[in-house]
Amino acid sequence: MISCGQFRPGVSSLCHLILVNGRRSLTNATKYHHSLDTFLRYAKHHGLPVHTTYYVGTVYEYVVLDSLTKSARMSLEHSGGTGDNGVDLRGTMSTYKFEKKIPVVVQCKYEQKKPGARLLRELEGSLVNANPDTLAVLAAPLPVTSAGKRVLASSDKAIAFCLILGYEEGGVATQMIWNSTADKLLRGLRVASVYREATVDGKMMTVRSMSLIDT
């Protein structure tokens, strides 16, 4: 079983090469940024190419962080790195009437194709050795495939999929679905449609988004 809420409107690397005393050095760049604004300033200062996997992926990770904070009652921090099972964001999520917080891990996949079964299985893998009450979320800008939905529905892990548009499209969350295992953690919550201010193609607009609310 999959629980969902939807409306129908009209692997980046964490390391970066920098110059140290005239030599190139590999360093963990996350200590230099903690939000979309700070990353964009960091990227501009260091002249990072905007079309690289690192740049595009990191921008999307921060877009997802902002969107899930606004729409899905989550408090997240940028994560990732060696041995992190592909996790890009970590934090907690407030449950029904904010009675408790559950651990959350998020994988962000900004790709030009729909996320399928392989990515959902990778998401399951992110829960190895995790707290059994942890919710794993896959975020992507395109709808999940039918095969991906079958993996999600059949998993005995608490996993969810959230459709979040890219930076140029306003970065809003338009859909969130989860399986029956996750439903036990999220009982009492439902998805509602709301209107938010967002920057789309450089212009401030009012857009339709989703939001988790108490039933």
Side-chain angles (χ1 to χ4, degrees):
M1 183 189 77
I2 298 178
S3 300
C4 67
Q6 179 183 17
F7 69 87
R8 298 186 180 277
V11 175
S12 67
S13 170
L14 291 176
C15 295
H16 173 54
L17 283 170
I18 63 173
L19 288 174
V20 179
N21 297 326
R23 297 180 180 178
R24 295 198 302 173
S25 173
L26 192 63
T27 183
N28 189 320
T30 55
K31 63 182 179 181
Y32 299 109
H33 51 82
H34 54 81
S35 66
L36 180 57
D37 287 342
T38 57
F39 174 71
L40 293 177
R41 290 197 297 269
Y42 168 83
K44 183 178 181 179
H45 177 75
H46 289 282
L48 300 186
V50 299
H51 298 298
T52 61
T53 301
Y54 170 72
Y55 183 97
V56 173
T58 304
V59 166
Y60 187 65
E61 288 162 10
Y62 280 125
V63 164
V64 171
L65 187 155
D66 289 343
S67 185
L68 293 178
T69 298
K70 295 174 182 176
S71 301
R73 307 164 71 131
M74 295 185 189
S75 176
L76 301 167
E77 292 184 350
H78 199 266
S79 180
T82 303
D84 216 4
N85 294 319
V87 172
D88 299 304
L89 309 172
R90 289 183 180 274
T92 59
M93 177 180 181
S94 297
T95 57
Y96 178 62
K97 294 184 178 179
F98 297 86
E99 291 177 348
K100 65 176 183 177
K101 295 182 183 296
I102 60 173
V104 176
V105 295
V106 183
Q107 290 187 354
C108 307
K109 300 295 182 182
Y110 191 76
E111 300 179 352
Q112 301 305 311
K113 59 182 180 180
K114 294 180 179 181
R118 176 181 61 83
L119 293 183
L120 270 298
R121 293 192 186 98
E122 289 180 6
L123 185 68
E124 285 185 293
S126 70
L127 291 174
V128 174
N129 300 323
N131 182 313
D133 288 333
T134 299
L135 174 68
V137 180
L138 175 65
L142 294 174
V144 67
T145 65
S146 296
K149 287 181 180 179
R150 288 194 291 271
V151 173
L152 188 153
S154 62
S155 177
D156 60 354
K157 305 291 186 181
I159 58 177
F161 170 76
C162 195
L163 195 162
I164 300 178
L165 301 181
Y167 177 63
E168 296 296 332
E169 293 74 44
V172 295
T174 63
Q175 179 195 51
M176 186 170 181
I177 60 176
W178 55 85
N179 61 9
S180 57
T181 307
D183 198 48
K184 298 173 184 177
L185 300 176
L186 305 181
R187 188 162 294 155
L189 296 179
R190 68 179 180 88
V191 175
S193 294
V194 298
Y195 288 91
R196 302 186 188 280
E197 295 293 318
T199 302
V200 180
D201 292 329
K203 298 180 181 179
M204 184 62 71
M205 301 177 64
T206 299
V207 296
R208 202 175 181 189
S209 174
M210 63 128 255
S211 182
L212 285 182
I213 63 173
D214 294 331
T215 55

